[in-house]
Amino acid sequence: MGWWQINADTLAASRFVLSPLAETFAALKLLHSGAAAHPGERAWLDARLPGYRARLAADPVTARLVRAGLGRDWIADFLTPAPRDGETFEEGVARVRAADPGAARAHLTVSLAGPLPAVLDRDDLPERAAALLEHIWTEAVRPDWDRRRRVLEADVVARIAQVSRGGWAAVLDSLRPGRTRWLGDNRLQVNLHEYPPREIAGAELLFVPVTPKGGWVSWEEPGRYALVYPCAGALADPGARTVPAGLGALLGPARAAVLVLLDSPLSTTQLVAVTGQGLGSVGRHLKVLLDAGLVERRRAGRSVLYERTAAGTVLVEASRRTDTYRS
């Protein structure tokens, strides 16, 4: 397994950041695999795959670059520069384009775990990679970036609240279950690869959510390290937000939708963003659910977060079982 040696100060100073470039690279990985994690991703793939495959069919060199760069066990480092806080997509992809061609070829030999094919022994690989990422951003990510950003922001709010409830160990274990884990003794497992540990005490440590399943690590030695992880639960999977019919009939569809979402803590602002309901409507729904004992609220820093109570969870799960039984 791969792990990073960190100290308490590094972990305390770590932060969550959003990255349009990371989201675009995650979309590239999804397009490359063609394997959807839920019906929402399946619909997205069905709409985007034909154009993506047509572009690669017209550019065999870039198609070979994608296959080599994503590899089987390791991603070529130049494709995934460590995100920077507040960086735009254009700023991020410019760093891909500026990668040293010789370094890019060396990174590809690592991801291939073998010699570089002759077709990739060229100096324009960073330019080709950047152009493909620009295409995916323009055609497949930017059109719904506002929605994606709301989901990413909601995930960050939930993770920060989890820190206050269960500490960093619980958060780190849940980022990529089975891959990330707090090992104790200042050691953070970041993947399952058998690579030497890295000492990153004093470096900038970033946690970066993306909406597709998957994840990776990236770094700019010696000062910046990033762990990219998939959003979890109802935020990432629209199908998980389906309101059981009985619950919708009991509470009303809009109020039931709020209750379903609150399996993890969210603020009023995040609920407005994810549900598409107005601020006043969400506020009224929350008051009714609070009065009924189905949700609870607490303060986390400057935010007030809402989450289902045990009674609220029992109601949602019972309604789901009823729907399953009837179907």
Side-chain angles (χ1 to χ4, degrees), residues 20-21 23-29 31-32 44 48-49 51-70 78-79 89 93 96-97 124-141:
L21 179 64
E23 182 73 6
T24 302
F25 187 79
L28 169 60
K29 289 186 65 183
L31 288 164
H32 180 70
W44 184 86
R48 306 300 182 187
L49 267 177
Y52 170 74
R53 288 172 173 167
R55 190 185 190 286
L56 291 190
D59 185 356
V61 174
T62 299
R64 188 67 183 87
L65 169 60
V66 170
R67 293 196 299 273
L70 296 185
F78 81 99
L79 296 174
F89 171 79
V93 80
V96 176
R97 181 171 275 113
D124 63 348
L125 300 180
E127 170 59 38
R128 287 177 176 274
L132 179 62
L133 289 167
E134 286 170 337
H135 171 79
I136 294 172
W137 165 253
T138 301
E139 299 297 326
V141 177

Side-chain angles (χ1 to χ4, degrees), residues 274-293:
V274 176
T275 64
Q277 300 178 36
L279 179 61
S281 296
V282 168
R284 288 190 294 273
H285 297 325
L286 287 171
K287 183 178 186 308
V288 171
L289 294 171
L290 281 165
D291 291 344

Side-chain angles (χ1 to χ4, degrees), residues 22 52 80 88 91-92 96 115 120 122 130 158 167 170 197 201 209 219 225-226 252 289 293:
Y52 170 74
T80 56
T88 65
E91 291 167 339
V96 176
L120 296 181
R122 50 197 302 150
W219 50 76
Y225 291 78
L289 294 171

